[in-house]
Amino acid sequence: SRNSNLTLEWLATFPHAIWDFKYISSNKNLTLEWLTMMPNGDWDFNYISKNKNLKLEWLNAFPDSNWDFSKISRNEELTLEWLNAFPCSNWDFSNISRNKNLQLEWLITYPDANWNFTKIGKHKNLKLEWLDAFPKAEWNIYKIKKNRNLIKIK
């Protein structure tokens, strides 16, 4: 179970072995297929929540599992679709504020979320329209002035 080279084939070949699902849950090769092949396994969704392979389809397949949405908030593949699929979950909007996929639409869709406007101020996707859309937000002007993606207005 602790072998980082563990594959689905091993699980399929030895389905009745005594597997340590806590370690398997953090395996770098983990895919949804592993979870669906062994749905009664004692999966550790805390570990799975921070797995780099995690996709929205995993959450949809196991919606009632004990997902750690704070950890999922750091997932590089996170999109607005994830937030919309689980709108009442405990998302960490401070971490989402630096997500590479962040767009103004996210802020508009969740205007009352606890966004970190300091992080957003240095975000690569930041545009002036974001500032216009949220004029009362606690923007860090110093970070915004250093943001290379904004066009200087003269």
Side-chain angles (χ1 to χ4, degrees), residues 5-23:
N5 295 317
L6 183 70
T7 63
L8 180 62
E9 290 75 27
W10 276 95
L11 295 176
T13 303
F14 303 103
H16 300 294
I18 300 173
W19 295 106
D20 186 334
F21 283 92
K22 182 174 184 174
Y23 287 101

Side-chain angles (χ1 to χ4, degrees), residues 34-49:
W34 294 34
L35 301 172
T36 56
M37 187 179 84
M38 302 183 96
N40 297 322
D42 188 21
W43 295 104
D44 188 327
F45 285 90
N46 182 47
Y47 280 102
I48 296 171
S49 294

